Amino acid sequence: MAGTENLYVVGDSDFDQEILQSDIPALVDFWAAWCGPCRTVGPVVEELAEEYAGKVKIAKLNVDENQGTPTKYGVRNIPTLILFKGGQVVDQIVGAVPKSRIKDLLEKA
Amino acid sequence: MYDDLIVLGAGPAGLAAGQYAGRAGVRVRVLEKGPSGGQMSDTFMVENYPGVGPIAGAELAALMEEQAVKFGAVITRAEVSSVRRDEQGFSLRTDSGTEYKCRALIVALGASPTKLGIPGESEFTGKGVSYCAICDAPFYRDREVAVVGGGDSAVEESVYLARFVSAVHIIHRRDRLRAIREIQEKAFREPKIQIHWSHIPVAILGKDGVEAIRIRSVKDGSEKDLPVYGVFFYVGLRPNSLEGLADLVKTDERGFIITDENMGCGIPGLFAAGDVRAKRLRQIATAVGDGALAANMAQQYLESL
């Protein structure tokens, strides 16, 4: 499933290629349809995808359809946002937080 | 942006206020940072709202939103960061710097789960510590988890978790549950639920994530570790707030807004409704009642100007 122009949708199969091997830092939003707070964060992540286009690759990963990647990164709660750089985890945020806090995370990219 | 009435928050109190005000012909805007519904959206099934249900919390939220919009309420997604009084009424500023002004204001910001502040709780938030069973239950499939608390939410969510996990340990500081009988009986019928009476959690243990919870008997002080993969906290609520609000309202010792019987906060044109208000019962039904009354009082206030 394709996202909007600057918002990527990734899964277990292309996580390595799209996120870990990304030329620029990447932020992944781990989410699911059943999760209320995920619907709070979702639109904010979409806005940030536009604002950070070309600087940080911003992607969503549906944990319902992709269970390998959340397990690999120890995700036990959603929404979880993880920032990757050069294939490594830089930092993460758990739960619905204000946009300003996600921006603070992105500044670490 | 200028409106006659602004409602802060689109949970059941805010949506009911929006609906009643809109239907009464008041120009009303509801400001909400997330999706409509508030805590209702994180509730798997709502079983006690009169006339509808059992119904999924998210579905009830969608119905309430639809009805409010149908009667003229405008719902705007914005994160309000501060409030102050001005010559016309009230002025609100969002985190992106937009200003909203209104003559009457209903504060329906709701409440959030309380943190206990025990060792490991913050450290493992997102790594096994959770405040939302409906969000995170599938990550705990066939694992053991603990639920801290003994009220309606704690017990109801334990029953929900039991569909996924291999065992639920309810940690409760008293020797009987506070949850209503019907919910208690569901828990007692569920073989996966084990209740640790008269115990309090003292620490959450683990390396990269939750591995165990240490609990202490309030009777004899003895401690033991329960191996669990997750800990869900349902130990009560704290009111949501924003900058400047404390200068305008009186609160009780826990920060809930004290109102008169008609939702007034002591300043003309300022009202509070729902879980953010100091009261004895926080339910969708009571929130909706607060919202309707606050909207009516706001309407009367606006007509008196």
Side-chain angles (χ1 to χ4, degrees):
Chain A
M1 193 172 67
T4 58
E5 198 179 338
N6 294 309
L7 181 69
Y8 292 76
V9 173
V10 297
D12 287 346
S13 59
D14 58 358
F15 195 83
D16 183 69
Q17 186 195 333
E18 290 288 346
I19 303 300
L20 301 181
Q21 294 183 36
S22 170
D23 296 337
I24 55 172
L27 180 80
V28 182
D29 172 15
F30 293 81
W31 74 286
W34 67 71
C35 154
C38 296
R39 285 183 285 125
T40 307
V41 168
V44 177
V45 168
E46 279 172 34
E47 286 170 21
L48 289 167
E50 299 305 317
E51 291 172 31
Y52 282 79
K55 285 179 281 197
V56 180
K57 182 185 261 188
I58 296 188
K60 293 170 78 75
L61 184 140
N62 185 319
V63 301
D64 227 1
E65 296 160 5
N66 303 279
Q67 287 160 11
T69 308
T71 306
K72 183 176 171 194
Y73 290 97
V75 173
R76 297 192 204 174
N77 308 74
I78 49 174
T80 287
L81 301 170
I82 304 182
L83 180 65
F84 293 88
K85 194 175 180 179
Q88 300 295 313
V89 174
V90 179
D91 205 352
Q92 63 174 3
I93 290 177
V94 176
V97 298
K99 189 175 179 179
S100 55
R101 266 202 60 199
I102 305 177
K103 280 187 151 179
D104 290 343
L105 176 68
L106 289 170
E107 292 308 316
K108 296 178 186 173
Chain B
M1 297 280 202
Y2 179 83
D3 297 279
D4 291 336
L5 171 64
I6 284 179
V7 179
L8 282 178
L15 291 174
Q19 178 192 313
Y20 271 72
R23 193 160 183 260
V26 175
R27 246 182 38 191
V28 55
R29 182 187 301 274
V30 182
L31 296 175
E32 167 61 54
K33 70 173 188 308
S36 294
Q39 297 169 80
M40 185 160 65
S41 305
D42 298 339
T43 307
F44 176 58
M45 288 303 265
V46 175
E47 297 193 330
N48 57 0
Y49 190 68
V52 280
I55 181 169
E59 193 185 342
L60 184 56
L63 289 173
M64 285 190 188
E65 181 190 66
E66 195 182 321
Q67 205 167 349
V69 169
K70 184 178 142 199
F71 284 117
V74 175
I75 300 175
T76 303
R77 206 176 70 80
E79 179 142 0
V80 176
S81 52
S82 68
V83 56
R84 62 181 176 80
R85 268 183 107 175
D86 64 16
E87 317 75 49
Q88 306 295 322
F90 304 92
S91 173
L92 305 157
R93 187 174 282 278
T94 70
D95 64 345
S96 57
T98 309
E99 199 161 44
Y100 291 90
K101 289 170 172 289
C102 57
R103 286 192 292 168
L105 178 67
I106 297 175
V107 179
L109 287 167
S112 302
T114 307
K115 303 204 173 201
L116 266 191
I118 61 172
E121 185 179 357
S122 312
E123 188 188 343
F124 293 126
T125 293
K127 297 189 165 83
V129 170
S130 173
Y131 302 86
C132 179
I134 188 174
C135 303
D136 301 331
F139 293 110
Y140 300 86
R141 207 176 290 277
D142 302 324
R143 308 253 192 181
E144 295 196 24
V145 299
V147 170
V148 181
D152 287 354
S153 299
V155 182
E156 189 96 85
E157 300 305 318
S158 296
V159 174
Y160 177 73
L161 281 164
R163 300 153 148 244
F164 296 87
V165 303
S166 58
V168 181
H169 300 271
I170 296 182
I171 318 297
H172 187 44
R173 64 194 154 106
R174 304 204 300 174
D175 57 6
R176 70 182 115 103
L177 298 173
R178 269 184 298 113
I180 59 161
R181 171 176 287 191
E182 194 249 338
I183 297 175
Q184 287 195 31
E185 282 170 358
K186 273 199 273 184
F188 295 148
R189 276 199 304 271
E190 173 54 64
K192 287 182 184 171
I193 294 180
Q194 187 191 346
I195 305 177
H196 300 263
W197 302 107
S198 305
H199 276 79
I200 54 168
V202 289
I204 296 166
L205 313 171
K207 272 207 274 301
D208 298 327
V210 173
E211 291 168 17
I213 182 168
R214 180 163 296 161
I215 62 173
R216 179 188 294 152
S217 164
V218 296
K219 296 229 159 105
D220 61 16
S222 64
E223 292 187 357
K224 61 180 167 188
D225 294 349
L226 302 174
V228 293
Y229 188 68
V231 180
F232 293 79
F233 282 95
Y234 287 95
V235 290
L237 296 171
R238 63 183 165 77
N240 296 328
S241 192
L242 48 86
E243 192 188 313
L245 187 61
D247 302 332
L248 303 180
V249 298
K250 286 197 195 76
T251 63
D252 68 8
E253 68 284 356
R254 294 162 64 203
F256 290 99
I257 298 173
I258 295 169
T259 67
D260 60 29
E261 62 185 20
N262 291 319
M263 310 295 119
C265 296
I267 289 177
L270 182 63
F271 306 88
D275 279 3
V276 77
R277 200 167 73 79
K279 59 177 177 178
R280 294 294 291 271
L281 183 64
R282 292 193 171 82
Q283 293 284 302
I284 299 170
T286 62
V288 163
D290 283 5
L293 181 51
N296 185 262
M297 298 311 293
Q299 178 205 345
Q300 289 185 33
Y301 169 76
L302 289 166
E303 283 169 359
S304 74
L305 293 177

